[in-house]
């Protein structure tokens, strides 16, 4: 349906890099992600405008998808929370850059950490990709330094309470505030780093790199085995397979139908073909 999967990327289905960030792994994942995007996104949008927040959201989602493609195995993975982590990363860079000028900075940090912890915890479940979260966060963090240079303070009410509350403002303070925010060296370095990361990931993906070969423990970042689910690639088979001395019994997981075959030397590809006949 558009999720990332190793064998499909090998077949050059690169379009999945664009579709994966828009997919969710179930209703619970959808509710958590959209709640975070609405809550964090509206706060940032009010301060920095729709255009800049939209750019960060889209770029972070795509960068997260690139990062995911470097680690994805042969099970479907979706990365919708990568764009949300991009907003969280941008929020953090905005706080760091404007630290002295926020009056409620610690509340914003608590909200940021809480949202990141909840969504990263969801990422250890099957089919929810934590590597896209990491890539999205790094992308948003760097782009926040690039784009959060001129807050629209005139559109933030003086008495507004919330995550992004400024100290008392005046026209002179506002002018000094904007001057201090304009840091071209920091913006340039962040933009170069972002461009290098995206370019490196694109080249690696096009060459079919699998970073799991260089990192034997990295798959635990994406899925932690449990009694309630499995991170094994073979668990994605739609059927349960039981073998006797001279028979193979295939049972469809979705509808419970079973069928007996009088041979045992079944390859995984053949099992998938037989399961498709039983399940559909």
């Amino acid at each position: 349906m558009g999720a990332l999967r190793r064998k499909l990327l090998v077949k050059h289905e690169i379009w999945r890099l664009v579709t994966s960030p828009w997919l969710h792994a179930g209703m619970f994942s959808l509710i958590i992600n959209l709640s975070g995007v609405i809550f964090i996104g509206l706060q940032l949008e009010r301060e920095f405008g729709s255009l800049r927040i939209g750019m960060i959201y889209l770029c972070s989602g795509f960068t997260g998808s690139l990062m995911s493609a470097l680690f994805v195995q042969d099970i479907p993975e979706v990365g919708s929370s990568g764009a949300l982590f991009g907003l969280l990363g941008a929020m953090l860079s905005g706080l760091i850059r404007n630290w002295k000028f926020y009056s409620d900075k610690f509340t914003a940090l608590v909200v940021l950490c809480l949202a990141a912890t909840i969504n990263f915890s969801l990422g250890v479940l099957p089919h929810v990709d934590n590597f896209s979260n990491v890539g999205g966060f790094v992308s948003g963090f760097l782009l926040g330094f690039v784009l959060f240079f001129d807050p629209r303070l005139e559109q933030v009410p003086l008495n507004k309470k919330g995550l992004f509350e400024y100290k008392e403002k005046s026209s002179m303070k506002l002018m000094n505030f904007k001057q201090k925010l304009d840091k071209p060296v920091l913006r340039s370095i962040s933009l170069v780093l972002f461009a290098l990361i995206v370019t490196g990931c694109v080249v690696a993906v096009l060459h079919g790199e699998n970073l799991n070969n260089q990192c034997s423990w990295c798959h635990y970042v994406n899925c932690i085995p449990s009694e309630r689910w499995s991170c094994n690639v073979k668990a994605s088979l739609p059927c349960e397979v039981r073998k006797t001395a001279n028979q193979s019994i295939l049972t469809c997981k979705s509808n419970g139908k079973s069928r007996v075959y009088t041979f045992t030397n079944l390859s995984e590809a053949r099992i998938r073909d037989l399961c498709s006949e039983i399940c559909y």
Side-chain angles (χ1 to χ4, degrees), residues 5 7 74-76 127 232-242 249-259 267-280:
R5 194 170 181 177
K7 72 175 185 179
D74 196 25
I75 53 176
H127 308 302
N232 195 326
V233 172
K234 293 183 180 180
S236 61
L237 286 173
C239 286
E240 292 181 355
V241 182
R242 289 183 296 139
I249 304 173
L250 275 60
T251 303
C252 179
K253 297 177 182 178
S254 60
N255 58 25
K257 294 181 180 179
S258 297
R259 190 171 296 179
S267 65
E268 181 177 329
R270 181 57 177 158
I271 291 175
R272 290 184 183 278
D273 291 338
L274 295 173
C275 285
S276 65
E277 297 178 2
I278 301 173
C279 295
Y280 304 106

Side-chain angles (χ1 to χ4, degrees), residues 112-133:
L112 189 154
C113 292
L114 182 62
T117 300
I118 292 175
N119 282 276
F120 198 83
S121 299
L122 289 176
V124 302
L125 301 174
H127 308 302
V128 183
D129 201 299
N130 255 342
F131 292 110
S132 67
N133 296 341

